[in-house]
Amino acid sequence: MKKIYFLFLLALLPLVANAAAVEINGIYYNLLKKAKTAEVTRKPKEYTGKVVIPKTIIYEGITYNVTSIGDCAFESEGNDALTSVTIPNTVTSIGRYAFSGNKGLTFIKIPKSVTTIDVGAFADTALNSIEIPNSVTYIGYDGEETGAFANCTALESIIVEDGNKI
């Protein structure tokens, strides 16, 4: 049994060596060292105010491109303290429930680099307007309760750029 457990731990070692969660200027990231990319991740306490995600971060002398907003990164339970998030044009995906529950988030502009908005990404937010560029080829939907914009009761306008095929 000990031998199997040891082999299992050895198999996981490359995964642990490739990813590390770090905090830089108040934003938490998972780093993929080989790819030199970073994913915005969940903070121990909820994000508040205006968050500006940078295009790149530097950690231990290495520059990482910020390419995604991870699952549940800004998720909240009715937080109204997060008022805006600026997403750079290096981000290509917005994860599952990334902004879910943020009652202070009323507008977000998706940059032209984003191709994926996953299930529940903006569910239960106070969004009243959102702009979606034609680069987005996937918007997650698993039914009425888990669509990307489920329960966005204040949503008045979704502006979809010409040429979008979704």
Side-chain angles (χ1 to χ4, degrees):
M1 180 67 176
K2 287 183 183 178
K3 193 174 191 179
I4 292 172
Y5 182 70
F6 180 72
L7 291 173
F8 178 73
L9 288 176
L10 281 177
L12 291 177
L13 190 58
L15 296 175
V16 175
N18 277 339
V22 298
E23 183 267 331
I24 298 171
N25 296 326
I27 301 175
Y28 284 72
Y29 302 92
N30 288 324
L31 304 179
L32 298 172
K33 292 183 179 185
K34 281 188 176 182
K36 294 184 181 168
T37 61
E39 172 185 77
V40 176
T41 191
R42 196 174 187 99
K43 183 178 181 178
K45 293 186 178 182
E46 294 178 344
Y47 290 95
T48 60
K50 295 179 180 182
V51 175
V52 177
I53 301 169
K55 290 180 178 186
T56 61
I57 57 169
I58 298 173
Y59 183 72
E60 294 182 347
I62 299 170
T63 301
Y64 294 86
N65 290 318
V66 179
T67 59
S68 62
I69 299 172
D71 293 350
C72 305
F74 294 93
E75 183 183 37
S76 171
E77 303 239 353
N79 175 17
D80 63 358
L82 179 67
T83 56
S84 76
V85 177
T86 302
I87 302 171
N89 64 6
T90 54
V91 169
T92 60
S93 65
I94 298 173
R96 296 172 72 88
Y97 303 98
F99 295 95
S100 179
N102 282 284
K103 300 299 183 188
L105 195 59
T106 59
F107 172 80
I108 197 151
K109 183 174 181 177
I110 308 296
K112 292 180 184 274
S113 56
V114 171
T115 59
T116 301
I117 300 173
D118 216 332
V119 172
F122 298 98
D124 298 306
T125 62
L127 282 180
N128 57 38
S129 179
I130 186 165
E131 294 180 19
I132 301 173
N134 64 12
S135 60
V136 174
T137 57
Y138 175 79
I139 296 179
Y141 181 75
D142 282 347
E144 198 171 302
E145 295 299 313
T146 56
F149 304 100
N151 300 318
C152 289
T153 57
L155 193 56
E156 294 175 6
S157 72
I158 297 176
I159 301 165
V160 180
E161 187 176 46
D162 286 345
N164 194 301
K165 295 183 169 97
I166 54 171

